Amino acid sequence: MAGIYIHIPFCIQRCSYCDFYREIGSDSKKIDAFVQALIHEIELRKDDLDGESIQTVYFGGGTPSVLNYDQFRLIFDVLHQYFTICSNAEITLEANPDDLTEAYLDSLSPLPINRLSIGIQTFNDKHLRELNRRHNATQAYAAVANARKYGFKNISIDLIYALPGQDMIDWEEQLDAALHLGVEHISTYGLTYEEGTALWHHRNEGKIQETEDITAIAMFNHLRKKMKENGYEAYEISNYAKPDFRSRHNSAYWKFIPYLGFGPSAHSFDGKTRQWNVSSVQQYIECIRNHQSFFEQEILSKQDFYNDYVMVALRTSEGIDINYLHERFGQELPDYCIQSAAPHLAAGDLIMNGQYLSLSATGIHIANIIIMDLIKV
Ligand code: SF4
């Protein structure tokens, strides 16, 4: 079992909160050159998963929906040539709402994409403009309707809360709108002000007000309540799914299932080492063209694995499996974990349920602090 991630590093405009690696613009020659390099990378790394069958393929970005049918066709052809993709594989495309027109979805319909992750973020047009998103609320609703029309039965949407000036009433309206769509999966994130982004400058210049912590916590609590009432499982701090609709791709990351990441800045994991590709489209294309190395690599120590496991497992509803820690790492690291957890257990921020150590309703608000206490540096 393994997964494939394909990073499409192009965006048509820069969202004001985003610090991901991406290039702004839609120069078709550059995108074609990138696709050729990507295909070459897939060929070069065809043996890296030792023949493991592929259970998930994820096109992430950037904005993968800048690619057209012909470009996707080339990528799928080379994937099918070199990898065994399971017949029931989850194949996700991240897409901008305004790209999901009927014409575009119609053009993609011969492809095996069976899950869409739509970056709606909010249905409030004023907030969408502040975030410098390309789409408006009408396009967000239309994207989901069009996806249904073209047969997508597994749709995820992204929402952001704690937007500048957002109050509880607006957040309640956003959630109601999202729930009304009846999508299978919702990912939600509290807005963060990443250094150097336009939003970070606007806040520092006093042009916008950051949401107070107390309001952001109330928004998160309301989110959890509404999701539960509407049959969504809170399987990870930021992710909610209808039964059987957890993201299989992300869940595989959390279980240390090997994956290959293709494209600039993509990460790979083969069970022992972690690799990451250069974060520049130009450098990526040139390195591949000139047969030069295009990634760095590190061998993971037992402690690295432990830390990675704690960081991902504590965010999930199951939590940290202490028996798994024993099986995988022997005695020392599980002992370290339990000792480090003791003050948080006493404070009621962690819960021990059988072999599982998980966040309580209060602990979830200080998850990052607890994770820092449990990892070993
Ligand atoms: S579309 Fe996504 S990756 Fe591109 S700038 Fe906006 S948030 Fe960043």
Side-chain angles (χ1 to χ4, degrees):
M1 278 196 318
I4 285 178
Y5 174 80
I6 299 181
H7 191 73
I8 310 297
F10 298 97
C11 292
I12 295 186
Q13 71 185 38
R14 192 183 308 273
C15 301
S16 62
Y17 55 94
C18 178
D19 71 341
F20 294 165
Y21 171 65
R22 76 277 188 248
E23 296 232 336
I24 304 303
S26 57
D27 174 350
S28 60
K29 275 199 185 135
K30 193 159 193 183
I31 295 179
D32 278 338
F34 157 75
V35 171
Q36 286 308 321
L38 183 72
I39 285 168
H40 199 176
E41 185 192 359
I42 295 170
E43 289 167 346
L44 287 171
R45 304 181 71 188
K46 63 184 170 22
D47 298 321
D48 284 12
L49 290 173
D50 291 333
E52 290 278 351
S53 54
I54 305 301
Q55 289 223 320
T56 62
V57 178
Y58 194 101
F59 289 90
T63 310
S65 50
V66 298
L67 296 192
N68 60 33
Y69 169 80
D70 291 337
Q71 291 158 336
F72 278 119
R73 182 79 271 163
L74 290 170
I75 297 168
F76 276 111
D77 285 349
V78 75
L79 287 178
H80 281 290
Q81 187 178 350
Y82 295 116
F83 295 96
T84 305
I85 300 180
C86 299
S87 57
N88 68 344
E90 175 190 275
I91 303 181
T92 303
L93 173 70
E94 279 184 2
N96 243 44
D98 52 325
D99 288 333
L100 295 181
T101 59
E102 289 199 43
Y104 184 67
L105 286 162
D106 189 43
S107 74
L108 299 191
S109 57
L111 299 171
I113 296 162
N114 53 27
R115 183 172 185 270
L116 290 175
S117 172
I118 309 176
I120 288 178
Q121 318 308 355
T122 170
F123 299 91
N124 179 319
D125 281 334
K126 176 177 165 286
H127 285 145
L128 284 169
R129 283 193 295 275
E130 277 169 2
L131 297 178
N132 203 34
R133 296 290 306 187
R134 279 199 269 142
H135 66 280
N136 57 36
T138 306
Q139 289 168 316
Y141 292 118
V144 176
N146 292 343
R148 290 292 190 219
K149 184 170 174 188
Y150 281 87
F152 283 93
K153 296 186 172 62
N154 191 353
I155 299 176
S156 178
I157 63 169
D158 289 352
L159 291 179
I160 304 179
Y161 63 92
L163 297 169
Q166 187 178 36
D167 57 19
M168 271 303 284
I169 294 171
D170 181 80
W171 177 231
E172 284 169 15
E173 286 171 4
Q174 302 314 312
L175 276 181
D176 288 344
L179 290 166
H180 190 67
L181 292 173
V183 292
E184 287 68 33
H185 188 280
I186 300 178
S187 298
T188 55
Y189 307 90
L191 181 68
T192 53
Y193 292 77
E194 303 300 334
E195 191 173 343
T197 60
L199 214 61
W200 179 82
H201 286 294
H202 293 164
R203 182 199 59 185
N204 294 355
E205 291 157 8
K207 291 181 182 160
I208 53 170
Q209 287 291 316
E210 194 168 343
T211 307
E212 288 185 4
D213 282 353
I214 193 163
T215 309
I217 289 171
M219 287 177 173
F220 180 78
N221 288 340
H222 180 69
L223 164 74
R224 305 282 283 190
K225 179 170 160 281
K226 289 295 277 189
M227 291 293 138
K228 194 171 179 188
E229 285 170 4
N230 286 275
Y232 289 83
E233 180 197 11
Y235 70 103
E236 201 266 351
I237 289 182
S238 302
N239 288 288
Y240 301 83
K242 290 266 179 80
D244 299 327
F245 283 100
R246 289 184 180 202
S247 160
R248 284 164 54 196
H249 188 78
N250 287 343
S251 301
Y253 286 152
W254 306 332
K255 291 176 186 155
F256 295 113
I257 290 171
Y259 59 89
L260 266 182
F262 298 118
S265 82
H267 284 226
S268 301
F269 170 69
D270 64 6
K272 296 189 186 95
T273 66
R274 202 164 25 212
Q275 297 149 21
W276 55 99
N277 288 355
V278 288
S279 293
S280 152
V281 175
Q282 200 51 42
Q283 230 181 314
Y284 172 78
I285 293 171
E286 280 168 15
C287 287
I288 290 190
R289 210 178 261 160
N290 300 325
H291 309 287
Q292 290 164 345
S293 171
F294 54 89
F295 62 83
E296 290 182 71
Q297 180 172 14
E298 68 174 343
I299 297 171
L300 296 173
S301 67
K302 208 190 236 196
Q303 189 172 313
D304 292 330
F305 271 110
Y306 164 80
N307 287 344
D308 283 358
Y309 176 72
V310 166
M311 278 189 256
V312 293
L314 200 63
R315 292 177 55 89
T316 65
S317 52
E318 285 80 15
I320 295 170
D321 181 344
I322 300 294
N323 289 359
Y324 171 80
L325 286 183
H326 276 285
E327 279 162 29
R328 177 111 199 207
F329 303 113
Q331 194 64 40
E332 186 203 333
L333 288 168
D335 285 353
Y336 176 83
C337 182
I338 290 166
Q339 274 168 22
S340 310
H344 295 294
L345 281 163
D349 293 328
L350 284 173
I351 302 166
M352 195 79 213
N353 189 2
Q355 72 206 53
Y356 293 98
L357 181 66
S358 61
L359 294 166
S360 70
T362 53
I364 214 156
H365 297 297
I366 53 165
N368 290 341
I369 295 170
I370 299 177
I371 287 169
M372 291 314 292
D373 286 345
L374 300 196
I375 64 173
K376 200 157 195 280
V377 287

